[in-house]
Amino acid sequence: MEEILVVTGLPRSGTSLMMQLINRANIPILSDGKRESDISNPEGYYELEAVKGIVADNSFLKEAPGKAVKIVAPLPMYLDLKLKYKVVFMRREMDEILRSQEKMLQKDQISEREKFRTIYEFHLKKTYRFLLENDIPFIDVNYNRLMVDSEKELEKFKDFLNLNASLQELLEVVRPDLYRNRNEK
Amino acid sequence: MKNKSNSKKILYGGKPYNVPPGGSLGLLALGNIGVRAWKESRDNYLEKNPIQREEKK
Amino acid sequence: MKKRNKVLLVGWDSADWKVIDKLMAQGKMPALKSLIDSGVRGKIATMDPPLSPMLWTSMATGKRPFKHGVLGFVEPDGQGGIRPVSSRYRKVKAVWNMLTMEGIKSNIVGWWPSNPVESINGCMVSNLFQQEKKGSELLDVSNWPVAEASVYPESLIDQLKDLRVHPLEISLNLISPFVPDVLKMERQEDQKLMILSKFLAHATTVHAVATELMETQEWDFTAVYHDALDHFSHGYMRFYPPRREHVEKEDYDLYKNVVDGAYIFHDMMLERLLGMIDNDTTVIVVSDHGFHSDHLRPISIPKVPSGPAIEHAPYGIFVAKGPGIKKGEQIFGASVLDVTPTLLAIMDLPIGKDMDGKPLTSIFEGEKELKYIESWENVDKYGGELLDTANNQTSNNEAALQQLIDLGYIDDVAQGEGGSDQIKAQIKENNFYLAKSYASAGFNEESLEILLEIEDKSKPDYRILTDIVNCAIRTKRYNLAKEYIAFIRKAKVLGENQLDIMEAKIQIGMNQPMEGIQLLNKVLKEMPDSIDLLMDLGRVYNAIQKKQNALDCFNRVLNYDPENAYAYYGKGLAYLRAEDYENAVEEFLNAIERLYHFPVAHLHLGETLALMKEYQAAIDTLELVRTMMPRVTKIYRWLLDLYEVTENEQKTREYKAILSKIQLGTKTIISGLPGEKLFQALESLSNKNVHIGNSKDVFNSQVLNVMNPDWLSEYTGDVIYVPMQYFGALNAKFEYKFIFIKDEPEQVMDYMNGLMKMRKSSFNPELLADLLNLEKGTMSWFNQQPNLDISYINDIRKLDVFV
């Protein structure tokens, strides 16, 4: 695969889970492993420190063809258009994202929920617009469906990336205990 | 070409206009020729009345 | 080759017709009057925010600020600091670049912003040329170097530098025409006098340079911009007659003539310019906004950045005279965006399709042939470049990144070391103007996105918060609006009354007009003389067809502001809806008398006349409306109707042809009294796969945001359900087909009683009266519309025709 596999989506929408799936499917991950896993995300982040500097410097992407990298929305807007990409776009119920974030930040953000909802809507819109305008192939993977209808959602994802990994291997990654905070409404 | 307009006489009712050293709005409204005529008249005046110049400062 | 006619464009920042018309009547502005007498005049609409550097850049590019990139009074210097707004941030071609590409010679003098100057075909002297300050340092007369990059070509510097007049050179002699008692004043170094000498000096310098270039250089186009009127007005309009109570008598007597004096001086300068051109030269005099000079003058200035802009009035002046331009006529509908397209049309050059403005074709005698190109941006010709290319700033999205930094997505690298709070505040301010610029073009989503980016709850800014709420309401994000209203209440940055008004707008938007009205009425008790509030309330009453309440509101407005054209218009609408045509005509005429450029008032006048069978008067009125709002198709349908009735065959043919050419969007509307029959009709349609726009649930119909003039565009579907009470809000842009389900009010009452968990047979006289009223109002509305296609359906089985 010559493309760079970009996993994007809003924070708390299952991007880390997707990185684990990709890892299990033996696609190399562009990662420096700097950030330790923490309690609210036991499987660890697959995050690259250089992504945070993408606005000023996206040269780290030159190392990325054939590898996967997690870049949250709307940062894919700053991708180097001279390179080729495939994008997995993680989606999750907005209210769940907002609740999950509020919980992670451990502060009562109820009074800003609508603000963040709107900002995230804009981030999604911008990212989609960027992908469409630049003809970058992408697939939506729905986190909520991945939990209840895992096989179907995983097949879709496998097809998009032409993965050899067995469905069973992937299903093991999608463990229900990772579906955090869901029933704590 | 430079300062060509400087030599122009300003007429008022067909007669040469006596440019007051303090200037006038009418002169300013004439633009380039007015400003030049005013500055010339003022500088001449200040040359002849150096004390005024001190006072002005 | 045919000799090219010259064009002279004179920009007077802030010039306002109210002051000018008074002076012209006294014979005190003969030069401008001579232009008007042999040319056209009109009002020119400004844009929000009404800030000069943004507006004059729009004037010179034909584009809105979010396209041209000049925002506010200062800009980041790319090295962590800020500097006065410059031409470096302009992202698009200005008219002088276009003319350079076409080999046309220009003189551009004083344009704001135009430093650094550009290497155009011709001469350019920037707005920094007349400045006596370098940064904050006041330069002395004897040591006053010419500002960097302020003259192109640089070889002109020697010729021009002595034409500069320094404020310290302005003698009392020159001040006395503005302040006759200046010699009697005790403190002649009064700050107010300093302002006067400063801007008199600036105006003189700009004018001296313009006259010099016009006299000594070859040119086809000269543009000269004066900011002095704006500064004079901000400094002295409070002393303009009549004196208001809060203005000290002594100050008033001293300064009451300054504004008139400034206008007269500008007319004198204009007279000189007119003396330098031939009869084939086109002259345009234009301002970017007006300036309140009467009872609309604010008493105090808000202490926020750009607070003084509150003194600006929404319309400036536009005057044009020249070969091929009409004589002695008024023109309507001009905007500051139209200046560049109009200049290009005058010079027979193509107009960029990416421009936001339009050529003012109504100024021309006969049909003007227009040329277009996609964009001037891609024309591969030399258009001139900035004289200094150092510090060329390209990234203009610091604030857009701030949010991502705040969210922890990215590192704070863009700000560098010098990113002080003051600079961040300035960047934020510019982005606030950018958001306003988007909103004023109807791009509420874009505006909201920026506003949410710059909003900072630790430093609540009522302007930003207010705009967020308004944008949220306009984009129907009512929960977001409510969240911010709750915050504003907590932060106490806005009065309760203003918050209640916002909440009322949410209620109205959420299809609860009665709750909205209740809230507005509550606020009204506390602010009984708020004209805005009364107008809002009157409009809502008109929208729900409560004639008497609407009339009461508008009458109260007229008590405070007897010249308020919009209030007369509102009354006219109330009467029209109630089929009281005589009164409606009178009120529409009252409105037009006070504000002639009021196309919808003319339109409704024409409609009312038609309904009164005054066919010829209606035709005359509507033909006028057609020139004012050429894109509104309803007018063509009216005229077709009227020409048919008056048996004018030629015109009938003409309008039939026009109508068939205009792509009329047709919307099919289904409605009726909200009873079982309507409910079944909607159900049976959707069972037959007819897509119904809006909600198919009659009783919890989705939010219909009728306060948004374009609300109907948001609904797609084969058939759109619109509750009867909203017919009045149907926009004239579309042609409508109505499917009207006939039902008996008594049965509808029964049905609604059932829904409201009342005994089905219980008689509800109030509900019945409301339903009868609603039906009556709808029938009279139907009768008042031109060429309406209505199918009344008694038996819903007959709906199959529409499937």
Side-chain angles (χ1 to χ4, degrees):
Chain A
M1 189 175 77
E2 275 314 295
E3 294 99 342
I4 299 168
L5 176 56
V6 173
V7 173
T8 192
L10 293 172
R12 320 301 296 172
S13 58
T15 45
S16 296
L17 176 70
M18 179 48 69
M19 291 302 279
Q20 290 168 42
L21 282 165
I22 286 165
N23 191 23
R24 178 62 64 94
N26 289 322
I27 295 177
I29 306 249
L30 190 71
S31 170
D32 55 12
K34 264 190 191 160
R35 198 182 285 205
E36 302 288 312
S37 65
D38 63 22
I39 297 161
S40 64
N41 203 340
E43 298 297 326
Y45 286 93
Y46 289 80
E47 293 206 5
L48 185 67
E49 204 53 35
V51 171
K52 294 191 85 186
I54 191 169
V55 178
D57 176 12
N58 58 13
S59 61
F60 65 91
L61 291 166
K62 291 202 180 78
E63 308 297 320
K67 293 181 184 163
V69 58
K70 173 179 155 182
I71 303 178
V72 291
L75 296 182
M77 281 167 53
Y78 300 97
L79 290 177
D80 180 354
L81 284 170
K82 287 194 269 314
L83 300 167
K84 288 197 158 172
Y85 305 91
K86 272 191 157 181
V87 176
V88 177
F89 207 134
M90 291 303 294
R91 297 300 307 271
R92 186 182 180 185
E93 290 279 337
M94 186 66 90
D95 278 316
E96 277 185 34
I97 294 178
L98 292 167
R99 276 198 300 272
S100 173
Q101 272 222 311
E102 283 159 16
K103 194 175 154 115
M104 187 182 78
L105 295 172
Q106 290 193 328
K107 64 171 188 180
D108 177 26
Q109 282 202 341
I110 301 293
S111 63
E112 289 209 307
R113 180 173 286 189
E114 293 304 320
K115 172 183 171 174
F116 279 95
R117 184 196 304 282
T118 313
I119 289 175
Y120 288 151
E121 269 172 26
F122 287 139
H123 286 176
L124 287 177
K125 214 156 93 181
K126 264 187 181 171
T127 313
Y128 277 120
R129 198 188 304 147
F130 173 83
L131 297 176
L132 290 168
E133 278 173 3
N134 294 292
D135 276 329
I136 296 172
F138 68 91
I139 180 180
D140 274 354
V141 175
N142 187 302
Y143 181 82
N144 304 79
R145 250 184 314 217
L146 194 56
M147 290 301 130
V148 293
D149 197 358
S150 311
E151 294 183 24
K152 198 172 159 197
E153 203 69 8
L154 285 171
E155 285 289 359
K156 205 170 81 177
F157 157 71
K158 268 183 69 180
D159 282 354
F160 177 68
L161 294 176
N162 291 321
L163 295 180
N164 302 322
S166 77
L167 196 60
Q168 194 49 44
E169 279 178 307
L170 297 178
L171 276 168
E172 278 167 23
V173 176
V174 189
R175 291 196 325 253
D177 62 290
L178 251 185
Y179 198 23
R180 303 175 298 282
N181 309 333
R182 186 192 181 196
N183 298 315
E184 301 172 26
K185 287 179 189 175
Chain B
M1 185 143 150
K2 210 163 95 183
N3 289 346
K4 182 179 90 180
S5 43
N6 210 7
S7 57
K8 278 189 187 163
K9 281 279 173 285
I10 295 170
L11 302 178
Y12 184 76
K15 290 173 190 157
Y17 174 63
N18 208 357
V19 176
S24 73
L25 269 196
L27 274 173
L28 301 191
L30 282 181
N32 54 350
I33 50 173
V35 169
R36 288 204 176 98
W38 163 44
K39 287 191 171 181
E40 195 181 305
S41 159
R42 182 194 63 191
D43 292 348
N44 284 339
Y45 178 80
L46 289 175
E47 217 159 275
K48 286 175 202 155
N49 302 274
I51 305 141
Q52 298 270 335
R53 170 172 260 169
E54 285 306 306
E55 266 178 16
K56 201 181 173 193
K57 285 203 169 175
Chain C
M1 211 176 97
K2 200 182 118 219
K3 188 190 92 173
R4 183 173 280 285
N5 285 339
K6 295 182 178 189
V7 178
L8 169 65
L9 174 65
V10 180
W12 286 351
D13 200 303
S14 227
D16 190 279
W17 280 123
K18 283 185 186 165
V19 180
I20 290 173
D21 280 330
K22 267 191 224 162
L23 288 169
M24 286 200 304
Q26 299 164 21
K28 289 179 178 167
M29 290 188 78
L32 189 67
K33 177 135 197 319
S34 75
L35 281 183
I36 292 168
D37 288 347
S38 50
V40 296
R41 66 172 276 174
K43 291 182 181 180
I44 191 165
T46 190
M47 290 190 297
D48 193 33
L51 306 179
S52 296
M54 302 172 75
L55 294 168
W56 289 96
T57 305
S58 285
M59 199 98 81
T61 59
K63 291 181 177 170
R64 291 181 182 274
F66 57 82
K67 282 192 196 165
H68 67 54
V70 172
L71 306 167
F73 297 100
V74 293
E75 63 190 24
D77 64 5
Q79 300 177 340
I82 47 171
R83 64 180 171 220
V85 60
S86 78
S87 42
R88 295 181 188 94
Y89 270 75
R90 202 185 70 233
K91 295 187 282 196
V92 300
K93 303 272 187 291
V95 65
W96 46 84
N97 304 120
M98 302 168 204
L99 299 187
T100 296
M101 291 177 179
E102 294 295 322
I104 296 173
K105 269 189 150 30
S106 308
N107 293 321
I108 309 296
V109 185
W111 210 266
W112 192 18
S114 60
N115 210 85
V117 288
E118 297 159 65
S119 52
I120 58 166
N121 181 15
C123 312
M124 199 160 172
V125 178
S126 87
N127 58 310
L128 293 193
F129 182 74
Q130 67 265 28
Q131 280 297 338
E132 67 285 351
K133 279 185 169 178
K134 191 176 184 193
S136 55
E137 180 200 354
L138 179 67
L139 299 166
D140 194 65
V141 189
S142 56
N143 180 25
W144 189 19
V146 169
E148 255 172 69
S150 67
V151 178
Y152 179 85
E154 284 169 305
S155 56
L156 279 172
I157 292 176
D158 275 346
Q159 182 185 341
L160 299 179
K161 70 172 196 286
D162 292 334
L163 289 172
R164 291 178 303 164
V165 174
H166 196 289
L168 293 175
E169 294 179 285
I170 297 293
S171 61
L172 294 180
N173 228 7
L174 296 170
I175 299 283
S176 60
F178 300 92
V179 186
D181 285 341
V182 65
L183 295 168
K184 290 186 220 153
M185 280 173 77
E186 279 174 20
R187 292 177 54 251
Q188 284 159 351
E189 63 283 3
D190 190 284
Q191 186 60 34
K192 293 194 193 74
L193 290 183
M194 299 297 284
I195 300 175
L196 218 162
S197 14
K198 178 177 169 127
F199 294 106
L200 182 56
H202 286 186
T204 303
T205 303
V206 169
H207 180 56
V209 170
T211 46
E212 178 75 358
L213 294 179
M214 284 168 72
E215 208 164 64
T216 64
Q217 306 294 315
E218 263 182 57
W219 59 275
D220 305 299
F221 175 61
T222 289
V224 48
Y225 163 75
H226 285 278
D227 63 359
L229 269 187
D230 189 55
H231 295 291
F232 277 108
S233 300
H234 281 299
Y236 305 93
M237 193 60 94
R238 54 193 308 259
F239 309 113
Y240 186 76
R243 182 173 80 90
R244 292 163 301 160
E245 266 175 25
H246 65 281
V247 178
E248 294 268 348
K249 177 87 167 63
E250 197 186 337
D251 287 344
Y252 171 80
D253 286 338
L254 267 176
Y255 298 120
K256 64 181 179 210
N257 297 320
V258 175
V259 169
D260 276 348
Y263 275 80
I264 292 168
F265 181 58
H266 279 70
D267 194 71
M268 290 160 69
M269 294 194 288
L270 179 64
E271 184 156 28
R272 160 79 165 137
L273 296 178
L274 298 184
M276 300 174 77
I277 55 173
D278 57 26
N279 253 336
D280 292 334
T281 304
T282 300
V283 186
I284 295 177
V285 182
V286 68
S287 67
D288 54 342
H289 50 74
F291 207 97
H292 291 304
S293 59
D294 46 19
H295 61 290
L296 298 171
R297 284 176 288 186
I299 288 178
S300 64
I301 308 294
K303 288 189 175 52
V304 292
S306 313
I310 192 180
E311 296 185 282
H312 295 169
Y315 291 96
I317 67 162
F318 180 89
V319 174
K321 178 238 160 194
I325 292 178
K326 288 177 187 164
K327 289 170 183 56
E329 289 199 24
Q330 292 238 20
I331 59 135
F332 302 96
S335 143
V336 295
L337 292 165
D338 303 338
V339 172
T340 284
T342 305
L343 285 169
L344 293 170
I346 290 171
M347 292 187 253
D348 288 319
L349 294 175
I351 294 148
K353 285 186 189 163
D354 59 343
M355 289 177 182
D356 297 306
K358 60 189 180 300
L360 295 170
T361 49
S362 61
I363 70 170
F364 299 111
E365 289 168 333
E367 286 275 299
K368 178 83 187 172
E369 204 180 307
L370 300 171
K371 297 175 197 161
Y372 285 91
I373 53 171
E374 284 307 315
S375 172
W376 280 92
E377 303 306 318
N378 324 321
V379 176
D380 193 17
K381 286 183 193 166
Y382 186 75
E385 54 195 32
L386 294 179
L387 212 56
D388 83 342
T389 45
N391 285 340
N392 225 343
Q393 182 69 24
T394 47
S395 126
N396 193 15
N397 53 1
E398 280 86 348
L401 295 177
Q402 189 60 44
Q403 193 177 78
L404 300 175
I405 296 166
D406 294 344
L407 286 167
Y409 289 11
I410 57 169
D411 293 328
D412 193 352
V413 283
Q415 300 293 344
E417 317 150 25
S420 75
D421 283 353
Q422 195 217 345
I423 290 154
K424 282 191 179 172
Q426 281 298 349
I427 293 171
K428 181 169 154 177
E429 188 66 21
N430 282 11
N431 276 280
F432 174 57
Y433 301 147
L434 178 62
K436 277 196 160 306
S437 161
Y438 273 118
S440 72
F443 293 121
N444 291 304
E445 294 265 325
E446 286 79 354
S447 184
L448 183 59
E449 189 175 348
I450 297 165
L451 291 166
L452 291 176
E453 271 164 5
I454 58 176
E455 176 264 305
D456 177 357
K457 293 214 167 62
S458 68
K459 294 176 204 138
D461 179 330
Y462 76 89
R463 301 171 305 156
I464 295 173
L465 295 165
T466 309
D467 281 4
I468 288 178
V469 173
N470 287 331
C471 265
I473 292 173
R474 278 186 231 120
T475 59
K476 300 187 182 180
R477 291 182 168 90
Y478 297 115
N479 288 330
L480 180 68
K482 284 179 182 166
E483 184 176 289
Y484 272 91
I485 288 177
F487 173 74
I488 298 170
R489 264 188 218 285
K490 224 166 86 187
K492 295 197 169 62
V493 286
L494 218 56
E496 285 291 314
N497 290 334
Q498 269 131 315
L499 289 166
D500 283 343
I501 294 172
M502 289 175 177
E503 287 203 352
K505 285 184 181 162
I506 294 178
Q507 301 277 21
I508 293 161
M510 292 176 79
N511 205 16
Q512 296 164 333
M514 297 322 285
E515 285 84 346
I517 283 173
Q518 228 169 35
L519 210 47
L520 289 177
N521 272 319
K522 181 189 139 208
V523 184
L524 195 60
K525 284 209 182 87
E526 310 216 357
M527 307 164 62
D529 51 358
S530 163
I531 288 177
D532 288 346
L533 188 57
L534 284 164
M535 289 300 297
D536 275 345
L537 199 51
R539 283 188 201 113
V540 182
Y541 279 129
N542 256 345
I544 58 166
Q545 308 198 14
K546 297 265 183 203
K547 173 191 146 197
Q548 200 48 51
N549 299 70
L551 285 178
D552 288 347
C553 290
F554 296 125
N555 281 330
R556 279 172 72 178
V557 171
L558 291 170
N559 264 342
Y560 300 114
D561 184 8
E563 294 302 303
N564 193 314
Y566 299 99
Y568 285 112
Y569 170 69
K571 283 179 76 177
L573 279 185
Y575 284 124
L576 174 60
R577 301 262 154 81
E579 295 181 76
D580 181 346
Y581 300 139
E582 306 257 328
N583 273 317
V585 166
E586 193 180 324
E587 300 299 353
F588 290 136
L589 286 172
N590 274 331
I592 292 164
E593 201 176 292
R594 279 151 186 95
L595 178 64
Y596 190 76
H597 177 48
F598 197 168
V600 283
H602 289 274
L603 170 61
H604 284 118
L605 173 65
E607 289 182 329
T608 314
L609 289 167
L611 294 166
M612 294 169 80
K613 302 195 167 36
E614 299 284 347
Y615 297 130
Q616 196 48 49
I619 288 175
D620 293 345
T621 307
L622 290 164
E623 284 285 4
L624 171 70
V625 181
R626 192 177 71 105
T627 64
M628 288 175 155
M629 335 162 60
R631 290 187 196 128
V632 178
T633 50
K634 186 187 188 180
I635 300 161
Y636 296 86
R637 291 206 303 280
W638 264 116
L639 283 166
L640 172 61
D641 231 20
L642 287 163
Y643 284 124
E644 268 176 355
V645 178
T646 52
E647 294 174 5
N648 185 332
E649 281 175 30
Q650 192 202 330
K651 284 281 180 187
T652 302
R653 267 199 307 279
E654 213 175 279
Y655 274 90
K656 269 190 179 149
I658 294 174
L659 274 166
S660 67
K661 246 194 264 170
I662 308 171
Q663 275 301 319
L664 291 177
T666 306
K667 298 261 180 192
T668 306
I669 307 281
I670 185 160
S671 194
L673 286 174
E676 195 167 10
K677 230 174 174 180
L678 177 65
F679 185 71
Q680 286 171 353
L682 291 168
E683 205 169 53
S684 102
L685 281 177
S686 70
N687 285 342
K688 283 165 189 147
N689 282 328
V690 175
H691 174 58
I692 298 182
N694 191 12
S695 170
K696 56 180 175 176
D697 184 342
V698 185
F699 302 99
N700 287 312
S701 71
Q702 268 177 4
V703 179
L704 274 177
N705 186 16
V706 294
M707 299 311 271
N708 168 8
D710 209 23
W711 63 281
L712 199 66
S713 303
E714 293 165 18
Y715 298 103
T716 51
D718 308 313
V719 176
I720 302 166
Y721 168 63
V722 176
M724 288 157 76
Q725 56 269 39
Y726 289 119
F727 283 2
L730 287 172
N731 195 302
K733 275 201 322 207
F734 299 103
E735 190 167 4
Y736 297 102
K737 273 190 176 162
F738 283 88
I739 305 171
F740 193 83
I741 311 293
K742 286 286 254 184
D743 204 345
E744 291 304 318
E746 284 83 1
Q747 287 189 10
V748 175
M749 176 190 72
D750 277 353
Y751 185 71
M752 290 181 80
N753 276 341
L755 282 178
M756 289 186 279
K757 309 263 187 304
M758 289 172 76
R759 237 165 4 103
K760 203 171 178 184
S761 57
S762 66
F763 188 70
N764 185 342
E766 282 145 32
L767 179 59
L768 185 61
D770 273 355
L771 290 170
L772 285 167
N773 238 335
L774 186 58
E775 187 171 47
K776 190 173 151 241
T778 305
M779 292 309 134
S780 87
W781 186 84
F782 277 155
N783 291 332
Q784 291 172 356
Q785 302 308 306
N787 274 328
L788 208 57
D789 176 347
I790 314 169
S791 312
Y792 294 98
I793 303 287
N794 269 316
D795 182 350
I796 60 168
R797 280 169 301 182
K798 289 187 181 149
L799 270 174
D800 284 355
V801 205
F802 299 98
V803 178

